[in-house]
Structure formats: C-alpha cells, structure tokens
Amino acid sequence: MWARLAAEDPARAARLQKGLKARYARETRFKLYGVLAVAVAVGFLLLLLGRIIEQGHTAFYSNQMTVSVYMDPARIDRAYPQGTNFQQMVAQQQLTRLGETDDEQGTKATAYRQLLSSELKFRAADLIRNDPSLIGKTVTITAPVSDEADLYYKGEVTRETAADQRRVSDQQMAWLDELKREGHVSTSFNTQLFTNGDSTEPELAGVLGAVVGSALMLLVTACIAIPLGVGAAVYLEEFSKKGRITDLIEVNINNLAAVPSIVYGLLGVALFINWMHLPRSSPLVGGLVLALMALPTIIIATRSALKAVPPSIREAALAMGASRTQTVFHHVLPLAMPGVMTGTIISMAHALGETAPLLLIGMVSFVPGIPGAVDEPAGALPSLVYIWENASERAFHERTAAAILVLLAFMIVMNAAAILLRRRFERRW
Amino acid sequence: MIWLVLPLIAVLAVLAYLAGRGAAQRRAAALAGGEKAHSRPQQHGYYALIWVAVPALVVTIIAGVFSGPVAHNLLAADAPQIVQDLEPFRREAFFNDARLTGEGQRAFQVWHGELGEVLNAEAARSHRVHQTLTWGGVLAAILAAAMGGLFAFSQIRPSLRARNRVEGWIGGLLFACSAVAILTTVGIVFSLLWDSLRFFQAVPVTDFLFGTQWSPQIAIRADQVGSSGAFGAVPLFAGTFLIMLIAMVVAAPVGLFSAIYLSEYASAVSRGVVKPVLEILAGVPTVVYGFFAALTVGPAFREFFNGIGAMLVGGPLDGMGQYLLLVQNQMALVAGAVMGIMLIPFVSSLSDDIINAVPQSLRDGSYAMGATKSETVKRVLLPAALPGIAGALLLAMSRAIGETMIVTMAAGLAANLTLNPLDTVTTVTVQIVTLLTGDQEFDSPKTLAAFGLGLTLFLVTLLLNIVAQRIVQTYREQYD
C-alpha cells in the first residue's frame, strides 16, 4: 500500500511517513515517561532504605573494652560503694600503666574518663556489692566504651574530621589506639540495643522500652478498634436500613478516614488528658487516640470484605430458618474473616508507625526503663525515633537509623502477614 | 477500678448465663405435653447474661469517664487556700503529686515550705476520694448487675421470645458501634471548638486569620521582655501552601505516570514487582521520611545549592551566589520534595483505580480508529478519568496539608512570609506540635492557639475531602 501511495503521490507519502514517525516517537517518549516515573518511585525507595541501612547498620555492633581494675581500698567506701568514682579510678590506673603523669587538676584523667561508659561504674559497683571481699584485689571488668570512642573505633570519627566536629581529641585517639593494640577492645553484637530502655547516654540506650510501649499501645488499640470497627461495619452492611442516620454515619466515616492524624492528637489532649485526667504519655491514652484513628479504616476494610460474600450464602442460611443475626454471625462473618483480618492488620501497621498524635499527648518525654502497665509513662518506637533524631550526640544518629530499621522490620512483618493471609484464604465465588 | 470490675462482671455474666439456661430448662420441662418453649435454653441464658452485663458495664463506663473529673473537682473545691492560689499549671502538678503520694508512690517534684506540709494531708484526702469513688463505682456496678439479673429471671418463662430479644440487643450494640464514628466527630469538633473559642476571646479571629506576624512567645512572668505574642497565622498558611505546592509538583506527575504505566503498559510481571514496592513506600511511617529528609536530603540539597552559589560568586550573578551560599539544611524544598515522595503511592494507587474504571470499550474504540496507546491515554482515558484524577489530587493535597512529621523534622520553625522554596518556612502542623510539646500552661493563649490552628486545619482538610469525595464518587457512577 505504501508503495502504491509513494508512486501516486510522493509528497503525501513522505508527509504521512514523517507524521507516522513522529507519532511513534511520541509513543516511545510517553512510555518512557511512565518507565521513568516508576523508576523514580522505586529509586526513592531504594535510596531511602539504602541510606537508613547505611546509617544504621553500625549501631548493631558495639565496642567493649576489658580493663583490669585494682579496687583501691583507699577510695572505696565500704558502706556506700556506689558512691565511688570508679571511672576516675580506672582512668588514673590506666594512665599510670601507660607511664603518663597527670597534672594537678587531673586533666588527663578526666579526658581518659570520657572514653569510659558509665556502665563501667555500675558494673564495678555491682561487683563490690555482691562480693565486698574484692576490695583490695584486682578484677577485670568488661564494659562498653563511651559513644565517642565507639564512633572512633567504627571509623566514623577520624583524625581528619575537623576539630570542631568531633569530641575526641588526638590524645584520646592515641589512647584508644593503644588499647586496641593491646587487645583490650572487642567488637560484638550490640545486645544492649535490644535489652535496654532509653538512656541519655547513646552507648547504653536501647529500644526495648519503646518496643514494649508500642506493643502495649497496639494492644489497647486492637482491643478497642477491632470489635468496634467490625461491629460498626456489620451493622452498616447487614442490618442498617438505608436512611438518614446510616447515610450520616457513612459520610462521617469517610470523612474521619481523611482527618489529619494531628487533629486526633488534639482530640486526645482535650478529651482524654485535660478532661478525663487520664495519665499523660501513657500507652492507654496513646492507644485510645490510635484506636479512634484506626476505626474508620477498619470499618471500610471490613465492609468491603462483607460485600464480597455472595448474597446466595445469606439467602441459603435465611431459607434454612436462621435469623438475620445467626446468618451474619454463623455464615457471613466467618467467610469474610480473612478480608477483615487483612484490613485490620494493615490498619494496625499504620497505627504502629503513626507519630504526630503521640507527640501531642506527651509521648516525647524522656522515659527511661521499661513500662509495665498501660497507665505508666512509656515511649513508643516512632516517638523514640523522633527523640533520638533531635538528640545532639552524634552517636544517636546511627541509633536512630537502627530504631527505624526495627520499626520497619515490624511493619514489614505485619504487612507480609496481611499479604500471606490474603493469599492463603483468598476465596473466589 | 476497671481491672477490678471487668473480671467481676465477666464472672457474674457467666453465672447468669448458666443460671438462666438452667432456669429455662426447668421451666420448659414443667410444660404439659404438646406445648413447646419459644426459644432454646441457651438463648434464655444469653438473655440473662445481657441483662447482667450491660447495666453493669454502662455503670462502669459512666463511672470511669466521670470519676476523673469528679475527683478533680472535689479535690480542687476543698483544697486549702494556698493550693488554690497556685497558678493553674502548678496546681495541676500539685494534685498529680498528691495522687501519687496517696498511692504510695514518689512525687514528681519537691514541694517546699507550707506546700510540702499540705501535700501529705492532701495526699491522704486524695487517697480517700479515689477510694470512695472506686468502691462506689464497684458497688454501683454490682447493684446494676443484680437488678438486671433479677429482672431477667422474672422474665424467663417458656413463652418468652428470648431469641428475638437477644438479637434485638445485638442489633442495638452494633448500632452503638457505628455511632462511635459520629461521637468521634462530635468529640473532635467540640474539643477543637471549645478551646478555640477560648483562644479567640484572647485573640480576635481577624487578627488570627489575617495577621502577618507569628511569634507565640507569651510572657509567662510579668517582668519578661521580648515576648509580646503575636498570633497572625498568614505566614503559617503561606508556608503550608508552599510546601503542599512543592509536594504536588513532585507527586502529581510521578504518581500519575506510574499509574498510567501500571494500568496500560506494564506486563503482569513488572506490575507484580512495582505494586508491592509502591505498597512498601506507602507503608513507611512518616517519621522515617522525616529522618530521611533531615539527614540525607537536607544536607544534599544544601551542598548542591552551596556549590552552585560558590560558582556564581564573583560573576554577574554575584548577589544570587551569595544568597545560595547561605542556604541551610532546613528549607521548604526539602520538606516538600520528601512529602512528594511520600504521596507518590497515594496518588498512583488512586489514579490507577480510576483509570482502570474507564470501560474497556472506550479503549477498544480508540484502538479501532488506529490510535496508538499513548494517544488513547491522552485523548480518551485521561479526559474520561480527569474528574476522578482531580479528586485524587485534591485528596493528596489534603494529606499534604495535614502531614506533620516530615515538616516538623525538615522545614524549620521560623515563620517566614515567603514563597521562596529555599527559605525555612513553618506550617500549621509544625506549630501545633511546637505549641503543645514541652512545658507550658494549659490555659495560656499560646497553648490554646494550637487548638485554633487545629480547627483551621480540620475545616480546610474537611472541605477538601468533601469536595474530592464528591468528585470521585459522581465520576465513578458515570459508567455503572
């Protein structure tokens, strides 16, 4: 056909050919934009995860130092061993061992002391408390090094780092090198990160308190939001007569699903804290706020799961003489359960990652230790990330990223569970 | 109190169920031959259970909700003059410590002088009040359960339509569940309105909406200087708008093109890869985006602009170079760009739904006319889906306006009235967070301003959501 056209009207053929070429070029370009957009989205995800892993992986191991300490009877008060300045004592002994003489003010000892974690003090005091006969003997104690020393060993602070950007002096670096050369420094998995609560000292700070706080909060959220949400969805989908009230409820639920989370935080402050005087920064209040926030999502997910159950099931049950309630609770709801659970898990995962309302109800306050009940002050994983991100110590940066990795691990497990449930129980009628 | 009452109610309810079932069986057995009871014994049991549990639970909830405020009012009303003379914030702290001391725990603060002496007396009183309220609540709950139980047992007889009654209760319970949604809305509106009204008594609405000066530092003591307190929210609105705009510039094209690619071009395999990736992106908590913005994107952008500035300095664009050299980590562009990334999956999944909803016949018709895929998308699908996509973008905008963590961590706190994306700006949500975190009085205009901002935010996003949902819904019904 092209050949005939080219023979009859070469100019028109050329024009058409050119137009066609342009159209194909446009087609390719358009498709390219699509690929580019997808690549951008995927690229951002990789960049995000890559950067966080890059920043956070170092927090999963830590450096410990093993020092031999002469429990100097002259400095330890037998009645009150906790009061001893063990760090200063160790620092001075180490300096003597290195053959360095300190000045009057003990400047060098103070500088050396900064390399030791306060954990050393606690461990030494514990030893003495358990066995007072150790006073006057030499013991070996293993304790984490301080956060700045840890960063130096990890290579994140080097001699090349500008002097105002680091808090380890060249002298301290020399000491640290010396320790390492003598084999007193060991690198191991950072178990403290998973067994400790929050702390003002990065080398001792862990996520356990926040994990427990988040778990308690999710427990409260689940106990309230799931029964209420499923109940509301069952009512709207199976029992309600179309009318003004149900319309109002429906519109309401759709709007609630889109209300900014921080507004729920304001509701929590006004209603639960200022009015009901529930304890501030407790998982109870956090869970209540998150429950109200998760409710619309659960209702919407449950309704679509109920909608997917074919009417024939209901009709069959009704035909056998079951009442409406029996039909719903014995037949429809069990069949919709996988869908309900998928939606619920996803909304719980969202609640787990939500931060803004927690800031308002006071979950940004520093809470050391591990909460034991829902009405005690507690932290939560996302607010821990926020607190650590704002901390001035540089060592908190890697720990923030590590806490994020823990948080993401939970989210991924929850989402994977939801996907698995969907795959496993997916039913086609 | 809850931990005491709930197990008690559960036990009573189970007992009532067993007793009700037994009673129904006995009474049905006594019937003459040929007659049958209306409902099965279990249903009578459930009937008794409901009548025991529901009144008791209602009493418990009422007691739980009101015991806090009641105890507080009782304590505040009879407190010694010295306590009443304290500033509201300190008074709250005092009562809190009195409660803690009364429970045998350690107080948060040390109270000096006369307050310290009063504390112990107040602690004892607080303990008494709380004990009275707790035991009163428990007693009331048990009474309610007993009365409900008596009523139920007086009703149980073979002709009782127990099943219908029980199902009526279940229906009512389910309705109550959905009513919680309305109660939540009422709660939001009331709590925002109540505190906003108090704020607007101190600061006129017009000053708030049209004032261009935002510095919420209120003098806590009379002798403080430099803290006048200005509550003109225009810079916040401008900052919010600017960041939203940047976010949409990133999210709209990327999200839209991803949606087009996924629904029209992608093979099943690549769809199977990209969809989960977008779902992960959607599931990442916003605080993680905030961290990413603050520690990765911010410094990278600053270095980039400082680099450009260093090249321009000394040249014809010297002034601009000098300016670029001073760009900081925190700027509107960083927060906006990262927020845009966050919104990509949101925009793309909504647009994907909408493009998929366009009937296949339209595509087939277009292909039959010889149009290429891209022409079909541009000339047929997009125009058909346009209202829906507009709705989706409006929803994304309302998300961007309400988003908190990214801007809190990456946009800064300085309230600049600017449209320059390289400046630090502050947004409504950032200010709500900064006003309500940290120590402050609960009654000062500074704290109440957060509720004023919250009300504005709620109304604006509500309006956007309603409009967007209208558009999406009317559009969706077009092809049904």
Side-chain angles (χ1 to χ4, degrees):
Chain A
M1 197 190 96
W2 270 117
R4 214 178 70 209
L5 192 65
E8 277 171 10
D9 188 351
R12 185 161 168 244
R15 210 174 60 237
L16 279 179
Q17 196 114 40
K18 210 170 135 202
L20 207 56
K21 222 163 129 188
R23 278 179 69 197
Y24 282 141
R26 270 207 295 279
E27 173 71 25
T28 326
R29 268 206 308 278
F30 193 75
K31 190 174 173 183
L32 194 72
Y33 295 148
V35 175
L36 218 64
V38 169
V40 164
V42 176
F44 277 136
L45 183 70
L46 292 180
L47 184 69
L48 179 84
L49 292 182
R51 276 293 288 173
I52 286 166
I53 291 172
E54 185 196 340
Q55 287 173 321
H57 74 281
T58 49
F60 289 104
Y61 61 89
S62 67
N63 291 294
Q64 319 260 324
M65 69 161 115
T66 309
V67 284
S68 31
V69 188
Y70 171 61
M71 293 292 185
D72 195 348
R75 304 186 59 153
I76 299 173
D77 180 1
R78 278 175 185 277
Y80 185 59
Q82 300 91 297
T84 317
N85 193 343
F86 285 103
Q87 280 158 290
Q88 190 79 12
M89 195 170 87
V90 169
Q92 282 173 353
Q93 289 175 9
Q94 289 286 327
L95 284 176
T96 324
R97 202 173 54 80
L98 292 172
E100 294 195 39
T101 41
D102 208 349
D103 55 16
E104 288 278 307
Q105 288 83 31
T107 322
K108 279 188 181 172
T110 308
Y112 203 101
R113 201 181 64 193
Q114 282 167 2
L115 305 177
L116 309 170
S117 160
S118 59
E119 179 76 2
L120 182 81
K121 180 173 81 188
F122 299 130
R123 291 198 184 170
D126 274 352
L127 279 178
I128 303 273
R129 216 182 13 246
N130 293 336
D131 183 7
S133 69
L134 285 177
I135 296 178
K137 293 182 187 154
T138 303
V139 294
T140 10
I141 298 178
T142 305
V145 296
S146 77
D147 52 330
E148 294 295 327
D150 195 44
L151 285 180
Y152 174 68
Y153 282 135
K154 286 173 180 168
E156 286 179 31
V157 175
T158 58
R159 279 170 212 282
E160 280 75 50
T161 314
D164 57 338
Q165 301 251 329
R166 60 183 155 101
R167 297 203 300 193
V168 194
S169 67
D170 288 339
Q171 168 87 79
Q172 287 172 317
M173 286 179 181
W175 288 331
L176 287 173
D177 288 338
E178 178 75 26
L179 266 179
K180 185 138 201 167
R181 230 184 353 265
E182 291 169 357
H184 290 317
V185 177
S186 61
T187 307
S188 61
F189 182 70
N190 188 357
T191 45
Q192 307 230 359
L193 187 64
F194 297 98
T195 55
N196 280 11
D198 197 5
S199 165
T200 45
E201 283 166 70
E203 73 271 14
L204 300 181
V207 297
L208 185 63
V211 168
V212 172
S214 271
L216 287 174
M217 209 158 64
L218 275 192
L219 191 76
V220 174
T221 307
C223 284
I224 293 169
I226 295 175
L228 278 183
V230 174
V234 166
Y235 174 78
L236 289 176
E237 202 56 40
E238 305 285 335
F239 287 94
S240 70
K241 292 180 211 68
K242 283 278 160 211
R244 225 184 243 144
I245 295 180
T246 44
D247 275 354
L248 187 69
I249 294 176
E250 280 203 53
V251 172
N252 231 301
I253 288 168
N254 285 336
N255 281 332
L256 278 181
V259 168
S261 59
I262 196 165
V263 172
Y264 284 97
L266 287 171
L267 171 73
V269 172
L271 188 62
F272 298 129
I273 293 180
N274 285 357
W275 194 67
M276 281 167 72
H277 294 282
L278 293 177
R280 237 172 115 86
S281 41
S282 63
L284 179 65
V285 176
L288 283 170
V289 170
L290 293 182
L292 293 183
M293 224 179 70
L295 201 59
T297 332
I298 294 181
I299 295 178
I300 291 169
T302 307
R303 285 191 73 177
S304 66
L306 288 172
K307 258 194 202 118
V309 177
S312 57
I313 304 269
R314 294 184 188 87
E315 283 152 16
L318 289 172
M320 295 300 289
S323 69
R324 240 204 143 75
T325 317
Q326 285 169 329
T327 307
V328 170
F329 284 97
H330 296 178
H331 301 279
V332 180
L333 199 54
L335 286 173
M337 220 48 208
V340 173
M341 281 165 79
T342 318
T344 308
I345 294 175
I346 289 175
S347 73
M348 287 292 124
H350 267 277
L352 172 68
E354 196 55 63
T355 323
L358 301 187
L359 301 189
L360 298 195
I361 58 161
M363 292 198 101
V364 271
S365 36
F366 170 71
V367 182
I370 291 141
V374 288
D375 54 353
E376 284 175 18
L381 263 178
S383 50
L384 185 76
V385 170
Y386 180 72
I387 300 172
W388 281 2
E389 200 269 332
N390 283 325
S392 54
E393 284 95 346
R394 215 183 128 182
F396 268 123
H397 283 182
E398 57 170 30
R399 276 169 178 75
T400 314
I404 287 178
L405 288 174
V406 173
L407 180 61
L408 285 180
F410 277 110
M411 317 271 322
I412 288 170
V413 167
M414 286 174 97
N415 280 314
I419 291 169
L420 252 152
L421 264 175
R422 196 156 53 192
R423 291 262 166 82
R424 177 91 176 64
F425 294 105
E426 203 167 43
R427 219 187 247 108
R428 288 194 184 277
W429 278 288
Chain B
M1 186 183 108
I2 295 281
W3 311 119
L4 202 69
V5 176
L6 285 186
L8 195 71
I9 293 179
V11 170
L12 286 179
V14 170
L15 286 179
Y17 170 74
L18 293 175
R21 198 177 63 178
Q25 263 164 348
R26 275 195 309 279
R27 286 175 201 179
L31 280 177
E35 267 185 281
K36 273 177 78 183
H38 174 271
S39 304
R40 300 189 50 78
Q42 287 95 305
Q43 258 122 17
H44 288 275
Y46 285 128
Y47 183 67
L49 181 147
I50 288 172
W51 270 105
V52 166
V54 171
L57 277 177
V58 168
V59 168
T60 310
I61 290 172
I62 291 177
V65 168
F66 286 97
S67 74
V70 166
H72 188 263
N73 285 341
L74 280 178
L75 287 175
D78 292 342
Q81 197 56 41
I82 178 160
V83 179
Q84 302 215 1
D85 288 344
L86 287 172
E87 299 146 31
F89 191 59
R90 295 253 300 157
R91 199 164 57 213
E92 292 297 311
F94 182 84
F95 284 133
N96 197 30
D97 275 354
R99 188 176 57 79
L100 285 177
T101 320
E103 287 167 9
Q105 295 176 28
R106 252 187 44 214
F108 269 127
Q109 301 177 28
V110 179
W111 298 91
H112 292 291
E114 206 178 329
L115 278 173
E117 290 156 25
V118 175
L119 182 68
N120 279 325
E122 283 298 286
R125 205 163 62 86
S126 152
H127 187 66
R128 267 202 314 278
V129 167
H130 280 107
Q131 285 285 324
T132 316
L133 281 173
T134 305
W135 289 109
V138 171
L139 206 68
I142 293 176
L143 261 177
M147 275 161 65
L150 279 180
F151 173 75
F153 276 95
S154 73
Q155 297 272 304
I156 289 179
R157 66 185 98 79
S159 64
L160 176 71
R161 297 171 160 262
R163 186 175 106 170
N164 304 27
R165 300 271 180 97
V166 168
E167 288 177 355
W169 272 102
I170 292 178
L173 193 69
L174 292 178
F175 175 74
C177 288
S178 34
V180 170
I182 293 199
L183 287 183
T184 309
T185 313
V186 171
I188 289 177
V189 171
F190 261 87
S191 58
L192 290 181
L193 263 184
W194 175 255
D195 287 316
S196 304
L197 285 180
R198 290 205 286 165
F199 170 65
F200 289 133
Q201 277 166 8
V203 178
V205 186
T206 44
D207 284 9
F208 175 72
L209 285 180
F210 304 113
T212 54
Q213 171 87 31
W214 178 266
S215 73
Q217 295 312 319
I218 283 280
I220 292 178
R221 297 188 314 273
D223 55 336
Q224 266 178 336
V225 285
S227 35
S228 50
F231 294 95
V234 169
L236 310 189
F237 299 149
T240 310
F241 179 73
L242 176 64
I243 286 181
M244 186 267 287
L245 208 65
I246 299 170
M248 292 315 289
V249 166
V250 174
V254 178
L256 197 53
F257 271 109
S258 314
I260 290 172
Y261 181 80
L262 285 180
S263 60
E264 299 299 315
Y265 286 93
S267 63
V269 178
S270 52
R271 204 180 150 85
V273 174
V274 175
K275 269 248 161 180
V277 167
L278 286 179
E279 271 170 26
I280 296 178
L281 212 51
V284 172
T286 50
V287 70
V288 177
Y289 284 109
F291 176 76
F292 180 63
L295 257 76
T296 301
V297 183
F301 276 28
R302 189 196 64 188
E303 238 162 72
F304 174 74
F305 286 115
N306 287 356
I308 292 185
M311 280 193 304
L312 291 181
V313 166
L317 290 171
D318 183 69
M320 195 174 162
Q322 298 285 1
Y323 172 74
L324 286 179
L325 271 179
L326 293 176
V327 167
Q328 291 300 311
N329 277 351
Q330 295 194 319
M331 53 175 137
L333 188 61
V334 172
V338 174
M339 201 189 283
I341 302 173
M342 182 199 85
L343 289 175
I344 289 172
F346 187 74
V347 174
S348 92
S349 75
L350 272 176
S351 321
D352 194 25
D353 284 352
I354 287 153
I355 293 173
N356 275 331
V358 177
Q360 187 61 30
S361 59
L362 288 188
R363 290 187 190 83
D364 292 344
S366 171
Y367 294 145
M369 299 296 288
T372 62
K373 252 190 181 165
S374 66
E375 283 161 352
T376 309
V377 170
K378 277 186 278 193
R379 305 265 165 81
V380 179
L381 293 187
L382 283 187
L386 201 60
I389 288 172
L393 292 182
L394 279 184
L395 279 180
M397 271 163 67
S398 111
R399 269 256 184 130
I401 291 174
E403 165 52 38
T404 312
M405 293 321 293
I406 297 175
V407 281
T408 307
M409 289 159 94
L413 290 173
N416 288 329
L417 184 55
T418 173
L419 282 179
N420 180 353
L422 301 183
D423 261 348
T424 68
V425 295
T426 190
T427 67
V428 174
T429 50
V430 171
Q431 287 305 316
I432 294 177
V433 169
T434 37
L435 289 174
L436 278 185
T437 46
D439 291 334
Q440 74 287 91
E441 286 178 78
F442 272 119
D443 284 342
S444 76
K446 187 182 163 190
T447 334
L448 294 176
F451 288 90
L453 289 175
L455 185 65
T456 321
L457 180 69
F458 179 71
L459 291 180
V460 169
T461 50
L462 190 69
L463 199 70
L464 275 174
N465 292 331
I466 290 175
V467 172
Q469 272 163 8
R470 270 283 149 77
I471 295 177
V472 172
Q473 264 160 16
T474 40
Y475 164 71
R476 270 199 189 136
E477 279 158 14
Q478 212 172 319
Y479 297 110
D480 275 347

